[in-house]
């Protein structure tokens, strides 16, 4: 399937999300363009995961807006994907988990099986194609989730703490896949609590605190010396 144009930039305009009396995302305004890998950092409860779900369309803003490229004529939902910290595996084989998404996208059966096998090979799971997805290890399931998303050729991939529950070896394998997806031209927008991972993967940092963007800067500049006291305290480990 050929994308008719770019869905980027993604524009957040005074975006807010409230549950009852709790303001989780508060007046967020920014524009996200192609090319850079954007990593969202912040303490627990800052609203990082909620922000990604709002961008991806899983949650509806209670104020403000989320807008993709105004000149894009198609459905931007077809050209974005999201992988969660604990991905949901279908009660099917690893191969069928990938082919199912391609089926929903309208790929012919023969094409989707071939493409699914290619994607499993890219993430190092070709030998597990026939194994039930739900018996795979946590790291294998995360690689399968990435293969499933990558197969759809998204222009934007949202990743919510993709290695939070993985051991260092499994986390590094996932990082390598994320880097490969980025090098293939996909915009990466991800959250992480792992500062080392942010060092390795980020081109720019958005620092969120209490639902607000406190700081946004190139990753090298951010880690050399955050401009805000909140981000400085976080990098020093003084915020949870």
């Amino acid at each position: 399937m050929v994308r008719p144009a770019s869905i980027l930039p993604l524009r957040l305009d005074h975006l807010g999300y409230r549950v009852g009396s709790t303001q989780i995302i508060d007046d967020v305004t920014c524009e996200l363009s192609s090319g850079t890998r954007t990593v969202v950092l912040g303490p627990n409860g800052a609203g990082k995961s909620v922000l990604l779900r709002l961008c991806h369309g899983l949650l509806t803003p209670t104020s403000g807006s989320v807008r993709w490229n105004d000149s894009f004529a198609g459905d931007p939902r077809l050209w974005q994907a999201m992988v969660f910290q604990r991905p949901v595996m279908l009660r099917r084989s690893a191969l069928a988990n990938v082919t199912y998404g391609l089926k929903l996208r309208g790929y012919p059966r023969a094409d989707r099986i071939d493409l699914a096998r290619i994607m499993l090979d890219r993430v190092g799971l070709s030998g597990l194609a026939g194994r039930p997805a739900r018996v795979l290890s946590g790291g294998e399931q995360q690689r399968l989730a990435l293969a499933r998303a990558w197969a759809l050729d998204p222009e934007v991939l949202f990743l919510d703490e993709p290695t939070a529950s993985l051991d260092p070896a499994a986390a590094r394998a996932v990082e390598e896949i994320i880097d490969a997806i980025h090098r293939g031209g996909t915009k990466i927008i991800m959250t992480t609590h792992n500062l080392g991972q942010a060092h390795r993967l980020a081109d720019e940092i958005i620092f969120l605190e209490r639902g607000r963007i406190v700081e946004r800067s190139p990753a090298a500049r951010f880690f050399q010396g955050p401009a805000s006291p909140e981000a400085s305290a976080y990098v020093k480990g003084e915020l949870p």
Side-chain angles (χ1 to χ4, degrees):
M1 185 180 296
V2 178
R3 186 171 63 246
S6 175
I7 64 173
L8 292 167
L10 169 61
R11 297 184 178 93
L12 311 181
D13 186 22
H14 298 288
L15 181 65
Y17 187 74
R18 175 185 291 271
V19 177
S21 61
T22 303
Q23 190 74 39
I24 300 174
I25 297 298
D26 189 7
D27 196 31
V28 167
T29 296
C30 69
E31 181 174 302
L32 299 171
S33 301
S34 61
T36 56
R37 294 166 296 180
T38 301
V39 172
V40 182
L41 294 177
N44 293 334
K48 303 184 297 295
S49 295
V50 171
L51 181 62
L52 259 61
R53 284 164 170 77
L54 286 165
C55 291
H56 190 45
L58 297 177
L59 295 173
T60 301
T62 55
S63 61
S65 63
V66 175
R67 293 188 297 115
W68 298 92
N69 183 2
D70 293 334
S71 64
F72 185 79
D75 185 351
R77 293 174 298 179
L78 296 176
W79 302 105
Q80 50 172 307
M82 186 164 179
V83 172
F84 301 91
Q85 179 180 338
R86 294 181 178 85
V88 175
M89 296 286 106
L90 302 176
R91 293 182 181 275
R92 305 168 186 229
S93 68
L95 181 68
N97 263 262
V98 182
T99 59
Y100 182 71
L102 295 171
K103 178 182 179 180
L104 294 179
R105 184 64 68 84
Y107 280 77
R109 177 177 173 78
D111 291 348
R112 61 181 183 252
I113 291 175
D114 288 345
L115 178 55
R117 292 191 182 280
I118 291 171
M119 301 315 298
L120 289 179
D121 183 61
R122 287 185 182 179
V123 301
L125 294 177
S126 57
L128 302 177
R131 185 167 299 181
R134 293 192 175 185
V135 306
L136 299 177
S137 70
E140 290 166 346
Q141 287 190 6
Q142 196 64 292
R143 283 187 280 152
L144 176 57
L146 287 167
R148 194 166 57 185
W150 198 1
L152 300 176
D153 190 26
E155 184 177 4
V156 178
L157 178 60
F158 296 100
L159 302 166
D160 188 15
E161 299 276 7
T163 65
S165 57
L166 304 182
D167 63 45
R172 201 53 185 260
V174 167
E175 287 183 14
E176 290 174 358
I177 295 168
I178 293 170
D179 189 57
I181 294 172
H182 162 69
R183 285 187 278 106
T186 296
K187 165 77 175 182
I188 301 294
I189 303 173
M190 68 178 285
T191 68
T192 183
H193 70 282
N194 185 323
L195 292 179
Q197 184 173 83
H199 265 288
R200 291 187 291 272
L201 293 180
D203 295 311
E204 70 164 356
I205 299 292
I206 291 178
F207 184 78
L208 206 66
E209 212 263 333
R210 296 183 181 179
R212 287 179 169 267
I213 294 180
V214 174
E215 185 169 347
R216 181 181 184 180
S217 68
R221 183 192 305 165
F222 179 87
F223 287 114
Q224 185 176 14
S228 63
E230 297 91 344
S232 180
Y234 181 78
V235 170
K236 293 176 182 176
E238 298 171 358
L239 289 178

